[in-house]
Amino acid sequence: MTTPHCRVTTAWGPPGGPVPVPANGPRWAGLAQGIKPGPGSGSAQPRALLQPSRAATMVHWSAEEKQLIASVWGRVSVEECGAEALARLLIVYPWTQRFFSDFGNLSSPTAIVGNPKVRAHGKKVLTSFGEAIKNLDNLKGTYSKLSELHCDKLHVDPENFRLLGDILVVVLAAHFGKDFTPDCQAAWQKLVRVVAHALARKYH
Amino acid sequence: MTLTQAEKAAVVTIWAKVATQADAIGAESLERLFLSYPQTKTYFPHFDLSQGSAQLRGHGSKVMSAIGEAVKDIDDIRRALAKLSELHAYILRVDPVNFKLLSHCILCSVAAHYPLDFTPEVHAAWDKFLSSVSSVLTEKYR
């Protein structure tokens, strides 16, 4: 299993200064399919041989899956759900706060939940998810630029996309209760997995 | 990863509610697991995995029972789950990656049944607790 390799440039860093690149530890469940080390990272393979894996080919959505996704999405408040998902990410997995050193007070769950920057950013992230849902048949295209951004400028380990995706699913379960059936969850797990993969696709 | 006193309290409190529907929540968690992560079914070729099957309910009940034991002995989960740890290491040998998947599905079931209780703090505490349980169950693998 390969882990994504993303170089931190010295000329640009996130607000608040460069963040130390976390050490790549062992991974049990990863989404690093189709991601190979880029040139200059120590790999001897020329770029031409670095083909995307099978997982990077077109995803098929059944009519039922689309319906399950749409029926939930139609009842989601993007602002509320987005804010809650991001807040819970920062609370349940506190190390994810490393990307938000300029967000102000993140010192407690209460502070995080009430933080206006967290709310605003959560809304932004989930709005982007809405774009994915509108473009289920072209997620790669939809997320191409965002993928480059997350690698080259934001330096976000794609593992974080998986974490946020799972948090979003838990938030939906809490919001919709029994309506968020196992079938529904399965469709959404597929969606968050595929979105995470699309966001990681342009990493090098 | 050790649980703080506050986290232990959060786990114990919500467990009191979950325990009243442990069997149903256990079965639902497994159903979520098998639908979202079909590869997990490979560990149950001998089971009838259809919704509502007796085997699914029985196994869900077993899983939740074990979690209940861990909650009861939350200060020493290793002792509470010592036998199960050996069972998983030497007999069952479920790949460690699957513990995260089941933990996630249990969280979803609990969240769906008790949304008002499932605050961010409770969510964090349960995620951490299930992660602890998973660690104990896999620590003898090698």
Side-chain angles (χ1 to χ4, degrees), chain A residues 8-22 98-99 101 153-155:
Chain A
V8 178
T9 61
T10 51
W12 193 96
V19 185
V21 177
R98 72 191 297 283
F99 301 108
S101 52
K153 294 273 185 274
L154 304 178
H155 313 294

Side-chain angles (χ1 to χ4, degrees), chain A residues 102-126:
Chain A
D102 65 334
F103 267 31
N105 187 5
L106 299 178
S107 59
S108 70
T110 314
I112 291 170
V113 165
N115 185 309
K117 285 190 173 180
V118 170
R119 292 190 69 84
H121 194 69
K123 178 182 175 186
K124 196 189 217 184
V125 169
L126 207 62

Side-chain angles (χ1 to χ4, degrees), chain A residues 50-127:
Chain A
L50 302 178
Q51 299 299 325
S53 72
R54 275 187 63 241
T57 54
M58 178 97 168
V59 176
H60 170 74
W61 299 92
S62 72
E64 197 200 347
E65 284 170 335
K66 289 188 179 184
Q67 205 276 319
L68 286 167
I69 290 168
S71 72
V72 165
W73 189 248
R75 296 160 60 192
V76 160
S77 154
V78 168
E79 181 161 358
E80 284 309 314
C81 258
E84 191 173 345
L86 187 62
R88 282 182 187 249
L89 178 77
L90 299 174
I91 292 165
V92 178
Y93 308 115
W95 56 93
T96 57
Q97 293 170 24
R98 72 191 297 283
F99 301 108
F100 303 104
S101 52
D102 65 334
F103 267 31
N105 187 5
L106 299 178
S107 59
S108 70
T110 314
I112 291 170
V113 165
N115 185 309
K117 285 190 173 180
V118 170
R119 292 190 69 84
H121 194 69
K123 178 182 175 186
K124 196 189 217 184
V125 169
L126 207 62
T127 301

Side-chain angles (χ1 to χ4, degrees), chain A residues 29 88 93 174 180 185-186 189, chain B residues 32 37 97 104 115 118 123 127:
Chain A
R88 282 182 187 249
Y93 308 115
F180 196 67
Q185 179 181 347
Q189 293 290 170
Chain B
R32 289 182 184 279
Y37 310 107
V97 78
H104 171 66
F118 202 68
H123 178 171
D127 191 289

Side-chain angles (χ1 to χ4, degrees), chain A residues 28-29 88 91-93 109-110 113 159 162 166-167 169-170 173-175 177-178 180-183 185-187 189 193, chain B residues 28 31-32 35-37 96-97 99-101 104-105 107-109 111-113 115 118-121 123-124 127 134 138:
Chain A
W28 283 351
R88 282 182 187 249
I91 292 165
V92 178
Y93 308 115
T110 314
V113 165
E159 178 67 13
R162 195 189 73 78
D166 277 350
I167 291 272
V169 168
V170 174
H175 271 244
K178 292 177 176 43
F180 196 67
T181 62
D183 277 310
Q185 179 181 347
Q189 293 290 170
R193 181 176 72 238
Chain B
E28 182 183 322
E31 202 189 330
R32 289 182 184 279
L35 274 171
S36 284
Y37 310 107
V97 78
F99 291 89
K100 272 196 197 182
L101 303 182
H104 171 66
C105 290
L107 282 184
C108 286
S109 295
H113 280 252
F118 202 68
T119 62
E121 291 91 333
H123 178 171
D127 191 289
S134 303
T138 55

